[in-house]
Amino acid sequence: MYLKKSKSVGASSPLNGIGKQDWDARRKRKVGEITQALSVTPVDVAALRRMAISEGGLLTDEIRCRVWPKLLNVNTDNLPEKPAEDIRENHKDYHQVLLDVRRSLRRFPPGMPDEQREGLQEELIDIILYVLDRNPQLHYYQGYHDIVVTFLLVLGERLATVLVEKLSTHHLRDFMDPTMDNTKHILNYLMPIIERVNPEVHDFMQQAEVGTIFALSWLITWFGHVLSDFRHVVRLYDFFLACHPLMPIYFAAVIVLHREEEVLDCECDMASVHHLLSQIPQDLPYETLISRAGDLFVQFPPSELAREAAQQHSQQTAASTFKDFELASAQQRPDSVLRRRRKDQAMAAQAQAQSQSQAMVAVRPRAKRLVRLAVMGLTVALGAAALAVVNTALEWAPKLDLQLFP
């Protein structure tokens, strides 16, 4: 709405590899298919999802204004009015939101007049506080504004507000819990995906003890914070809005896999590998990576990876997990954070070994009840990812009895 509407899909365009005339014909056909899907009653959401995922995405912001609400099942007939002024005075997160928004200059188009940008920043603050005020179960996190500003720039304030609220209570809900435990759990899907595709890269990263903190900002901002070209950001948002809530972690995995040679040529130590991976190249082949992420999701669905992710989660959801993120947010060295966690885990494992026989005696009489509790607990903990995980929970829950309920 506020950006100049592009007539092409930018650097990630399928023009890379096909002729302009061919792409123009395919683009025209795609616009017609999207229009047809929007015109039927009920709207053909399945077709819109296919269009959003397929090469080129939704093509323009005008189309996104019509399709993104359908992908999120949002009714746009009664849009909210501008929030009252006193919401800023009374909301506990106002000052942090204000600081983050003031630091968000790079998220606005270069060359935008200061007066227009400042007006958009005020609207950005209003959207965030409106959603948080209406949903007190949600907790603001640094990086949330990077997602909200994308919706604001594409949709305008009123439409962005309702879509962001829906997104926050669904796709982003796990990031908006009081602690980072559920975010860490979602990050735990990254290494199992990499291991299945390229064990050599996985083993190298494990040996370097790099962990997954390098991908934290990718995940919680849907890559909005780390990509400089807005066209690439909205192309990814087309993809993510049309897919499973865990798709961003699959996309993170394919970025690492795409950089296989760089990773393996790097010094095998935590600081070097973390530095390499935390710097995303801006010339990635986005359409190729989107296609590959979709293929990996089908080949290795979340239900198949749930056991490994949950086992890591059960070992890392103590207070040290939150400290990792707390320290990382404070710009501490990631190598010292992760080495400290590794030392703490070794000490915890030694203590657990000493009491394992007693724990087994205590747990086994309650096995059936604990299996049910494990399934219920994971359903609550995983939020948006629960449906993918809970179908396989009974297979691995007995193994987690000792880990989840010592």
Side-chain angles (χ1 to χ4, degrees):
M1 296 291 286
Y2 289 97
L3 294 178
K4 182 180 180 181
K5 297 301 187 274
S6 174
K7 297 300 183 183
S8 69
V9 291
S12 59
S13 163
L15 286 174
N16 301 325
I18 69 172
K20 182 179 186 303
Q21 188 174 9
D22 184 36
W23 167 239
D24 286 343
R26 291 167 59 178
R27 175 190 176 90
K28 184 176 180 180
R29 183 167 60 251
K30 188 171 193 177
V31 171
E33 292 172 352
I34 293 172
T35 302
Q36 174 64 25
L38 287 167
S39 65
V40 297
T41 305
V43 169
D44 190 348
V45 177
L48 294 177
R49 291 187 187 282
R50 290 194 300 271
M51 296 297 103
I53 293 169
S54 64
E55 199 169 32
L58 295 176
L59 303 175
T60 69
D61 287 353
E62 289 94 341
I63 294 176
R64 291 183 179 101
C65 287
R66 300 179 64 194
V67 174
W68 281 7
K70 304 302 181 186
L71 296 180
L72 287 175
N73 192 27
V74 169
N75 185 344
T76 59
D77 291 337
N78 296 305
L79 298 178
E81 298 297 330
K82 195 173 185 67
E85 287 292 330
D86 61 356
I87 193 172
R88 298 190 178 203
E89 301 173 5
N90 301 328
H91 201 283
K92 62 182 178 62
D93 292 313
Y94 168 65
H95 292 292
Q96 184 60 58
V97 171
L98 179 63
L99 289 173
D100 290 344
V101 169
R102 283 177 174 172
R103 291 193 291 255
S104 66
L105 298 183
R106 59 179 293 274
R107 292 304 319 280
F108 293 89
M112 175 179 281
D114 289 345
E115 184 178 354
Q116 183 183 7
R117 174 185 48 76
E118 290 168 2
L120 289 172
Q121 287 179 306
E122 292 300 312
E123 293 178 0
L124 179 57
I125 293 171
D126 286 341
I127 294 172
I128 293 172
L129 295 181
Y130 175 88
V131 172
L132 294 175
D133 187 62
R134 279 173 49 89
N135 300 273
Q137 78 279 14
L138 301 179
H139 296 261
Y140 177 76
Y141 64 88
Q142 289 181 284
Y144 180 66
H145 69 289
D146 282 298
I147 291 182
V148 179
V149 73
T150 302
F151 282 83
L152 172 62
L153 292 173
V154 172
L155 306 174
E157 181 180 13
R158 295 182 67 197
L159 186 54
T161 300
V162 291
L163 266 66
V164 166
E165 181 171 19
K166 186 65 171 287
L167 193 75
S168 301
T169 55
H170 290 78
H171 292 66
L172 306 181
R173 201 200 75 181
D174 293 315
F175 308 147
M176 305 189 76
D177 280 346
T179 72
M180 298 292 285
D181 285 348
N182 292 336
T183 302
K184 179 61 178 176
H185 176 76
I186 295 174
L187 281 170
N188 283 342
Y189 280 80
L190 180 65
M191 294 306 291
I193 299 170
I194 294 173
E195 182 178 25
R196 279 163 170 73
V197 178
N198 193 323
E200 184 180 6
V201 171
H202 171 271
D203 293 347
F204 183 90
M205 293 174 65
Q206 290 290 81
Q207 185 177 350
E209 301 180 4
V210 69
T212 57
I213 287 179
F214 68 87
L216 175 62
S217 64
W218 305 358
L219 180 67
I220 65 176
T221 70
W222 277 14
F223 297 85
H225 183 72
V226 293
L227 298 181
S228 58
D229 193 322
F230 190 75
R231 296 169 299 175
H232 298 158
V233 175
V234 294
R235 173 65 187 103
L236 288 182
Y237 279 40
D238 291 342
F239 179 50
F240 295 153
L241 288 171
C243 292
H244 189 282
L246 285 180
M247 188 57 77
I249 203 67
Y250 283 80
F251 193 80
V254 299
I255 289 179
V256 176
L257 293 165
H258 175 72
R259 305 182 70 191
E260 169 190 358
E261 293 184 6
E262 294 177 80
V263 173
L264 296 178
D265 286 344
C266 186
E267 292 293 329
C268 190
D269 64 75
M270 184 181 303
S272 298
V273 179
H274 176 90
H275 177 74
L276 172 71
L277 291 176
S278 61
Q279 308 295 317
I280 290 187
Q282 298 298 311
D283 60 347
L284 292 171
Y286 291 94
E287 295 297 338
T288 300
L289 297 183
I290 285 171
S291 178
R292 192 178 187 194
D295 290 343
L296 292 184
F297 184 90
V298 173
Q299 191 175 359
F300 310 115
S303 57
E304 182 179 316
L305 305 175
R307 180 186 305 180
E308 294 170 59
Q311 285 173 343
Q312 294 181 59
H313 185 56
S314 67
Q315 296 164 6
Q316 298 173 3
T317 52
S320 60
T321 302
F322 180 74
K323 290 178 181 177
D324 288 352
F325 286 92
E326 193 173 43
L327 290 172
S329 298
Q331 298 182 340
Q332 298 291 326
R333 287 181 58 84
D335 51 348
S336 64
V337 173
L338 292 171
R339 289 185 190 280
R340 188 181 304 111
R341 184 186 70 189
R342 192 174 182 85
K343 180 179 178 181
D344 292 343
Q345 288 176 339
M347 295 175 61
Q350 183 178 0
Q352 183 179 9
Q354 295 174 355
S355 60
Q356 185 171 357
S357 58
Q358 293 94 326
M360 291 178 66
V361 172
V363 169
R364 291 198 180 280
R366 303 181 295 161
K368 290 184 178 180
R369 182 172 67 86
L370 295 181
V371 167
R372 292 181 179 276
L373 287 174
V375 174
M376 292 171 61
L378 285 167
T379 301
V380 173
L382 297 182
L387 291 179
V389 176
V390 76
N391 290 332
T392 59
L394 288 174
E395 297 178 9
W396 48 258
K399 295 186 178 181
L400 294 182
D401 280 347
L402 296 178
Q403 300 171 1
L404 291 175
F405 305 99

